[in-house]
């Protein structure tokens, strides 16, 4: 079973930059996108053989998530079930017989950590939500989690300590999530690989120089980690400031 996650930084723009080429080439069973920046129906997106699930932000042109699935879900949840966290279209959960799939776009702490307090509230609520799912059946989580976990997960670690995406607070919350019974699939299979990034700034030729960050993840419940056969990135795929990431499992 192949799963793909991609922060497209505006799906309408990405559609003009090769999105469908990669979508059809990769032929994923589940294709999760973040930062759609649109409402469902703003484009006529025909994806034959896929059921589409959309969670758009109330604010138009902002945030948003979607999942395109070859198999219809047994049930679907939009958001975390907490009103203060469910205005920005940041999470979708699909239930299947043997697992839950959660697509997430984690709030950015913003420059100067202006939104760090809200980010911490989100992290606690999201972890509690995932643990509740995990108590029922295994969980697969993917998306832009807006944090580089350790120093090998970004090019310029020393100069970014304390900045949004590499603050002690954000990294600590990812520690807490992993300690709650989840596994970072890429680091499980590639513990020491360096230079593997999923996001690059548009400035300073960052992508050309591979001065990036690994902030897009697939996590799985610890008890199904040995069902993983691969966890990888597709840095050659353009169309966004993020590249797609993927796993094959079961």
């Amino acid at each position: 079973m192949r799963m793909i996650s991609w922060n497209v930084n505006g799906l309408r723009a990405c559609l003009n930059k090769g999105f469908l080429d990669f979508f059809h080439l990769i032929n994923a069973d589940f294709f999760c996108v973040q930062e759609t920046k649109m409402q469902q129906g703003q484009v006529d997106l025909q994806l034959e053989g896929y059921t589409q699930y959309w969670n758009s932000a109330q604010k138009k042109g902002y945030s948003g998530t979607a999942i395109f699935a070859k198999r219809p879900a047994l049930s679907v949840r939009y958001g975390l079930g907490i009103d203060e966290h469910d205005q920005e279209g940041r999470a979708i959960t699909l239930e299947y017989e043997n697992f839950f799939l959660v697509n997430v776009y984690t709030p950015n702490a913003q420059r100067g950590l202006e939104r760090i307090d809200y980010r911490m509230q989100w992290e606690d609520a999201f972890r509690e939500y995932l643990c509740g799912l995990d108590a029922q059946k295994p969980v697969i989580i993917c998306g832009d989690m807006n944090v580089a976990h350790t120093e090998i997960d970004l090019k310029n670690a020393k100069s970014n300590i304390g900045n949004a995406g590499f603050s002690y607070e954000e990294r600590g919350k990812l520690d807490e999530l992993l300690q709650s019974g989840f596994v970072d699939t890429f680091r499980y299979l590639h513990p020491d690989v360096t230079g593997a990034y999923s996001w690059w700034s548009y400035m300073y030729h960052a992508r050309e120089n591979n001065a990036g960050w690994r902030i897009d993840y697939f996590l799985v419940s610890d008890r199904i980690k040995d069902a993983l056969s691969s966890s990888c990135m597709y840095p050659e795929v353009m169309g966004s400031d993020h590249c797609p990431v993927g796993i094959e499992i079961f």
Side-chain angles (χ1 to χ4, degrees), residues 148-210:
H149 190 205
T150 69
E151 291 192 359
I152 64 171
D153 292 316
L154 71 166
K155 181 66 174 288
N156 298 308
K158 300 298 184 185
S159 61
N160 279 292
I161 291 175
N163 289 341
F166 200 57
S167 67
Y168 292 114
E169 296 93 332
E170 293 162 300
R171 296 163 66 193
K173 288 300 182 184
L174 183 51
D175 284 334
E176 289 183 46
L177 179 56
L178 295 175
Q179 290 163 8
S180 297
F182 300 96
V183 172
D184 174 351
T185 64
F186 187 80
R187 284 297 167 217
Y188 177 66
L189 295 177
H190 312 285
D192 302 315
V193 168
T194 60
Y197 308 127
S198 64
W199 174 81
W200 303 261
S201 169
Y202 280 130
M203 300 185 293
Y204 311 120
H205 304 285
R207 193 157 187 169
E208 179 182 337
N209 297 321
N210 198 30

Side-chain angles (χ1 to χ4, degrees), residues 82-93:
I82 302 171
D83 188 63
E84 65 180 303
H85 296 311
D86 291 347
Q87 307 303 307
E88 298 179 349
R90 292 189 177 273
I92 302 174
T93 302

Side-chain angles (χ1 to χ4, degrees), residues 27 47 54 75 94 102 104 137 166 189 218:
N27 192 30
L47 301 174
W54 293 77
S75 70
L94 302 186
V102 180
V104 64
K137 63 183 75 174
F166 200 57
L189 295 177
F218 269 94

Side-chain angles (χ1 to χ4, degrees), residues 11-244:
L11 183 55
R12 284 172 292 179
C14 196
L15 283 167
N16 294 321
K17 300 176 182 177
F19 175 86
L20 289 175
D21 292 336
F22 178 70
F23 182 90
H24 293 303
L25 177 67
I26 202 67
N27 192 30
D29 296 285
F30 297 91
F31 199 111
C32 302
V33 296
Q34 305 88 43
E35 211 170 354
T36 58
K37 294 185 178 180
M38 60 175 286
Q39 311 295 312
Q40 184 178 10
Q42 284 190 284
V43 295
D44 183 19
L45 188 60
Q46 300 292 330
L47 301 174
E48 187 176 353
Y50 287 84
T51 301
Q52 301 185 28
Y53 302 92
W54 293 77
N55 190 11
S56 300
Q58 291 188 3
K59 178 182 177 181
K60 291 185 178 180
Y62 178 74
S63 187
T65 50
I67 301 178
F68 311 130
K70 283 187 176 180
R71 284 193 285 158
L74 298 177
S75 70
V76 57
R77 306 180 200 180
Y78 297 103
L80 307 183
I82 302 171
D83 188 63
E84 65 180 303
H85 296 311
D86 291 347
Q87 307 303 307
E88 298 179 349
R90 292 189 177 273
I92 302 174
T93 302
L94 302 186
E95 180 184 7
Y96 291 90
E97 182 178 357
N98 298 319
F99 66 95
F100 290 104
L101 172 62
V102 180
N103 179 25
V104 64
Y105 177 39
T106 301
N108 192 306
Q110 300 185 352
R111 187 181 300 274
L113 301 183
E114 292 180 359
R115 212 184 186 195
I116 192 66
D117 290 342
Y118 176 70
R119 170 70 177 261
M120 296 296 98
Q121 295 169 18
W122 164 277
E123 292 280 3
D124 290 339
F126 188 55
R127 184 178 64 256
E128 182 176 350
Y129 176 75
L130 294 177
C131 288
L133 295 178
D134 191 48
Q136 302 173 56
K137 63 183 75 174
V139 186
I140 301 169
I141 308 118
C142 70
D144 176 0
M145 303 187 76
N146 261 316
V147 60
H149 190 205
T150 69
E151 291 192 359
I152 64 171
D153 292 316
L154 71 166
K155 181 66 174 288
N156 298 308
K158 300 298 184 185
S159 61
N160 279 292
I161 291 175
N163 289 341
F166 200 57
S167 67
Y168 292 114
E169 296 93 332
E170 293 162 300
R171 296 163 66 193
K173 288 300 182 184
L174 183 51
D175 284 334
E176 289 183 46
L177 179 56
L178 295 175
Q179 290 163 8
S180 297
F182 300 96
V183 172
D184 174 351
T185 64
F186 187 80
R187 284 297 167 217
Y188 177 66
L189 295 177
H190 312 285
D192 302 315
V193 168
T194 60
Y197 308 127
S198 64
W199 174 81
W200 303 261
S201 169
Y202 280 130
M203 300 185 293
Y204 311 120
H205 304 285
R207 193 157 187 169
E208 179 182 337
N209 297 321
N210 198 30
W213 299 49
R214 188 176 73 94
I215 60 176
D216 300 89
Y217 293 82
F218 269 94
L219 311 181
V220 300
S221 296
D222 183 81
R223 63 188 182 278
I224 60 169
K225 64 186 179 185
D226 291 331
L228 283 164
S229 56
S230 71
S231 180
C232 64
M233 301 182 190
Y234 300 86
E236 73 283 0
V237 177
M238 310 301 283
S240 169
D241 51 351
H242 295 249
C243 75

